[in-house]
């Protein structure tokens, strides 16, 4: 297995190279002059402009810029933002918030989705099942920012149970409502996936054999239905962790959370190549590691899959 | 399990008051009706009045084709009817108590400890995610037989008892590390774990090779005999049932049409369905001389037709090879070595699937390749079809090496050699209608106009005895036998010289098997076809083949004519295959 993990980790190198290259190319092709933006309305002194361009390597060809970025990235030096702060500082402040938010969202959707999905799958056609199907359909159909604003208004403003916005000094308790909003759509998918999978597994031959052994319904569901049903759900959750981090952009702006989404959004607006590329690189890394984790979880869930 | 819950379980399992095990039957089914609910009001009946009795220690077999309600009856006994199935009438008395009216938890208490089940398909009946030992241990713990370390020890004993060598290590393995026969042994260990009084064996071996089938059934018979367990054996093979059971119950279309002592039914079948079963089941029919005489007639006619066709073909300019040769296919020193992934990364292990096999197929005759799974017989077929490159050796078709053909000539070869595969459920595209499936090869090879192709499809359906009304239907709407007929029609669409049948009848019920074999014989006589017939079952060979090649572990261990193989086998392995034919030892009435 360690051979497999090593192989997969080696594969991340070309992925990172390709991803940074594409991002660099996209940012480079973006119209507008970032330095003019930096000075706003004021006229720019040619000498100062050239100096700044040299400082951020903007005067060099695109390929050289990219290679210089890679060279710095190896030593965790991602350059400075246009306000002069090292990018690594910005990123290391913003990432913990987003990671916490995404993991909380993942936990919420996983627990609620699997529990509700299992019950619905076991009682297919029942009242609970129908209610859950309709609810999940509504959740999938309505855009996420609508839920964000509505829940913020109800729980944050009208009822005052939680702070409507998070702000700079974030804490886990403040993130509960945003995490719920963030995980809502995925919850609906997890629920539906689990429901179908459970219903399908209930009618398999080995479940009938388990019943014939004299196991009670609870034992049958616990050992022979649930574990078998989780395989597709785990695939979805792994890919979803990456999607949650990207989706955080909307949620973070609604609840004013100082996370990666906010950072990336502002950096894109300002054309700050080093910041944008750094943030995206780390997101790519999270994605790659999450999918590796999913593949390892697979092998644990299903002994037929063994990596050599 | 605490003593209190044990006592409760014991009470639930107790016989009805007044039940006397010495005289009363263990299981008595009276006029059972089972239906599948399609809506609130509609129930489609599956079992319409079935009655049978099983006395303690007795083996009773229910025989019938698929859809006869035999499995449904068995599942009703332990309340495991699939989906919307329900008992709509009659009684199922187990030790005097009516199972169909019992409470849910009473039935759960009864499963495993009073009535065990050995299911049909060993591949799908073990949970792939748990170790085999764990799954047997569950049965012990759920029925309060043993728990913890003691249960682990018992699991190993049970597996040994079921005839699994190296049981201690095997218990720690997962189902996918087991072969089909080993899995079935594990399932038997599971079914007998809590020492039930009745064991329901639902087609316990129909998914296995004949030799493995015999071993497993022998072992099951010995075990149940020693333990005094009554067995309700469900099977579609009358020969097998008669050999294993004291008492037979023949079911047809949801009803019991005949029941009585096994030998009696076999020698004096009364119901027309039973009569057909007795005369047609390959396992029984293979013993009859009449089968050989019929086969000789077919062969004589086929060889003559093949000669006439060859003479006609010779006149055509585009024909590849020499069609007048006696041997249509000659296989010389065929060897296939597969590279398998080794334990260490990058390591490769050679596995010789086919080892220096040579034979020839005479025009208008049938050569059968017989062997267990893993003997390399299907690999030979794939190489003959030019679907797999041999490591060494040649396949000559009409005297031409098939590997040297390219482009148009290769396409031409494909036309002259067509396959029919084992599983008609998998080999027909479910999204193609019958018409599309049969017409496709004609279209691929650009034969005829649309009108002509349609006429050809009609003609082909007629040849395989299917009505033209099946043309717009899809494979899911056909029975297994009908599907195999469609597959044969598709193979014949291009007027091939050779048809390669890879286990073409193995997935079918005995009567359907007999019909398909008959059809193949008729077609051979009419069209002068040559067959390469691959099977694990020697019983069907006698009705269709002229020459037999017995393969074991990639080698051809015996090659002779059918009569010689049946009457005078030279290899121990061939004798083993012959002995494995169910019902072979039974004296028939006629």
């Amino acid at each position: 297995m360690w051979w497999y993990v090593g192989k997969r980790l080696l594969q991340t190198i070309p992925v990172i190279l390709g991803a940074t290259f594409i991002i660099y190319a996209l940012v480079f092709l973006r119209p507008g002059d970032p330095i003019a933006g930096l000075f706003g309305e004021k006229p720019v002194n040619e000498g100062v402009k050239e100096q700044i361009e040299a400082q951020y390597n903007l005067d060099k060809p695109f390929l050289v810029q990219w290679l210089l970025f890679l060279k710095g990235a190896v030593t965790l030096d991602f350059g400075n933002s246009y306000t002069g702060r090292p990018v690594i500082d910005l990123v290391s402040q913003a990432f913990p918030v987003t990671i916490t938010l995404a993991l909380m969202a993942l936990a919420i959707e996983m627990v609620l989705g699997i529990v509700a999905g299992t019950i619905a799958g076991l009682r297919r056609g029942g009242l609970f099942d129908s209610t859950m199907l309709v609810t999940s359909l509504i959740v999938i159909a309505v855009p996420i920012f609508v839920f964000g604003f509505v829940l913020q208004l109800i729980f944050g403003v009208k009822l005052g149970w939680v702070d409507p916005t998070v702000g700079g000094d974030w804490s886990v308790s403040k993130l509960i409502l945003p995490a719920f909003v963030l995980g809502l759509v995925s919850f609906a998918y997890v629920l539906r996936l689990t429901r179908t999978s459970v219903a399908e597994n209930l009618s398999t031959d080995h479940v009938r054999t388990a019943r014939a052994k004299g196991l009670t319904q609870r034992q049958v569901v616990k050992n022979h239905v649930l574990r078998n049903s989780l395989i597709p759900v785990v695939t979805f959750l792994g890919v979803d962790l990456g999607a949650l981090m990207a989706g955080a952009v909307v949620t973070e702006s609604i609840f004013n959370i100082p996370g990666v989404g906010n950072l990336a959004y502002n950096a894109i607006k300002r054309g700050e190549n080093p910041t944008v590329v750094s943030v995206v690189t780390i997101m790519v890394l999270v994605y790659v590691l999450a999918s590796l984790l999913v593949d390892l979880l697979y092998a644990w869930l299903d002994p037929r899959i063994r990596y050599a | 399990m605490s003593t209190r819950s044990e006592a409760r379980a014991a009470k639930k399992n107790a016989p009805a008051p007044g039940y006397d095990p010495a005289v009363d039957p263990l299981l008595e089914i009276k006029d059972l009706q089972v239906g599948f609910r399609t809506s609130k009001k509609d129930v489609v009946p599956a079992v319409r009045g079935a009655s049978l009795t099983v006395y303690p220690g007795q083996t009773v077999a229910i025989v019938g084709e698929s859809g006869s309600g035999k499995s449904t009856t068995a599942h009703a006994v332990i309340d495991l009817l699939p989906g919307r199935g329900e008992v709509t009438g009659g009684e199922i008395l187990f030790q005097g108590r009516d199972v169909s009216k019992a409470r849910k938890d009473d039935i759960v208490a009864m499963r495993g400890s009073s009535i065990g089940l050995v299911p049909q398909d060993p591949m799908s009946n073990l949970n792939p995610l748990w170790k085999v030992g764990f799954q047997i241990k569950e049965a012990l713990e759920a029925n309060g037989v043993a728990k913890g370390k003691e249960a682990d020890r018992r699991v190993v004993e049970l597996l040994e008892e079921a005839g699994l060598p190296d049981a201690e290590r095997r218990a720690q393995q997962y189902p996918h590390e087991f072969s089909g026969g080993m899995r079935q042994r594990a399932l038997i260990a599971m079914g007998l774990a809590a020492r039930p009084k009745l064991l329901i064996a639902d087609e316990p071996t129909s998914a296995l090779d004949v030799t493995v089938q015999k071993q497993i059934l022998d072992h099951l018979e010995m075990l149940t005999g020693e333990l005094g367990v009554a067995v309700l054996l469900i099977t579609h093979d009358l020969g097998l049932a008669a050999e294993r059971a004291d008492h037979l119950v023949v079911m047809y279309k949801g009803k019991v049409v005949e029941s009585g002592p096994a030998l009696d039914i076999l020698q004096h079948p009364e119901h027309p369905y039973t009569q057909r079963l007795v005369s047609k089941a390959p396992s029984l029919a293979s013993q009859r001389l009449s089968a050989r005489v019929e086969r000789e007639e077919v062969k004589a006619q086929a060889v003559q037709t093949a000669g006439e066709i060859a003479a006609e073909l010779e006149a055509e300019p585009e024909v590849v090879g020499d069609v007048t040769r006696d041997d249509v296919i000659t296989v010389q020193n065929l060897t296939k070595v597969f590279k398998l992934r080794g334990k260490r990364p990058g390591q490769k292990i050679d596995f010789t699937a086919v080892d220096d096999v040579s034979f020839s197929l005479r025009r208008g005759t049938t050569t059968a390749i017989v062997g267990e799974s893993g003997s390399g017989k299907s690999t030979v077929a794939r190489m003959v079809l030019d679907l797999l490159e041999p490591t060494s050796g040649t396949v000559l078709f009409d005297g031409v090496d098939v590997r040297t053909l390219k482009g148009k000539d290769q396409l031409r070869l494909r036309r002259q050699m067509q396959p029919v595969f084992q599983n008609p459920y998998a080999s027909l595209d479910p999204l193609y209608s019958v018409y599309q499936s049969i017409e496709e090869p004609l279209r691929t090879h650009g034969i005829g106009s649309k009108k002509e192709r349609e006429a050809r499809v009609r003609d082909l359906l007629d040849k395989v005895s299917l009505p033209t009304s099946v043309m717009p239907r899809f494979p899911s709407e056909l029975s297994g036998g009908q599907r195999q007929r469609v597959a044969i029609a598709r193979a014949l669409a291009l007027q091939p010289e050779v048809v390669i049948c890879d286990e073409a009848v193995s997935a079918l019920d005995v009567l359907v098997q007999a019909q398909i074999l008959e059809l193949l014989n008729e077609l051979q006589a009419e069209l002068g076809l040559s067959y390469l017939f691959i099977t694990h079952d020697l019983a069907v060979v006698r009705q269709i083949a002229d020459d037999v090649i017995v393969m074991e572990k990639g080698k051809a261990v015996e090659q002779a004519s059918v009569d010689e193989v049946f009457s005078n086998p030279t290899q121990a392995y061939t004798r083993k295959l012959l002995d494995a034919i169910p019902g072979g030892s039974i004296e028939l009435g006629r």
Side-chain angles (χ1 to χ4, degrees), chain B residues 268-337:
Chain B
H268 312 285
E270 270 164 23
H271 192 271
Y273 175 72
T274 323
Q275 284 166 357
R276 263 200 303 150
L277 266 181
V278 172
S279 64
K280 293 291 162 108
S283 55
L284 299 170
S286 68
Q287 303 170 49
R288 293 202 179 82
L289 274 177
S290 57
R292 290 309 305 152
V293 176
E294 279 166 31
R295 176 63 211 161
E296 282 304 321
E297 286 165 10
V298 167
K299 185 181 151 191
Q301 200 184 338
V303 169
Q304 194 193 352
T305 320
E308 285 163 15
I309 290 173
E312 273 172 45
L313 272 176
E314 205 188 3
E316 279 181 40
E318 52 178 305
V319 163
V320 180
D322 175 11
V323 293
T324 54
R325 286 168 60 102
D326 259 356
D327 294 341
V328 60
I329 290 177
T330 312
V331 169
Q332 292 166 339
N333 308 97
L334 206 57
T335 300
K336 179 72 200 178
V337 178

Side-chain angles (χ1 to χ4, degrees), chain A residues 3 204-217 219 222-225 227-229 231 301-306 308, chain B residues 75 78 80 108 111-112 115 117 119-121 124-130 134-136 138-139 142-143 174 176 187 190 341 345:
Chain A
W3 169 257
T204 54
D205 284 351
H206 67 79
V207 166
R208 190 188 60 200
T209 307
R211 287 192 206 284
K213 280 192 281 196
L215 299 191
T216 58
Q217 171 78 358
Q219 289 168 315
K222 200 182 92 203
N223 286 342
H224 296 282
V225 178
R227 186 170 168 191
N228 295 56
S229 307
I231 292 168
L301 272 175
D302 189 342
R304 282 169 297 183
I305 303 167
R306 283 283 182 258
Chain B
H75 287 145
I78 72 176
L80 284 175
V108 171
R111 287 183 195 146
I115 306 179
L117 173 77
Q120 177 167 15
D121 182 1
S124 65
N125 274 294
L126 286 165
N127 188 336
L129 308 189
W130 293 104
F134 171 85
Q135 299 189 45
I136 299 172
E138 267 187 330
N143 295 301
Y174 290 96
H176 70 272
L187 285 165
M190 201 181 281
R341 203 160 46 167

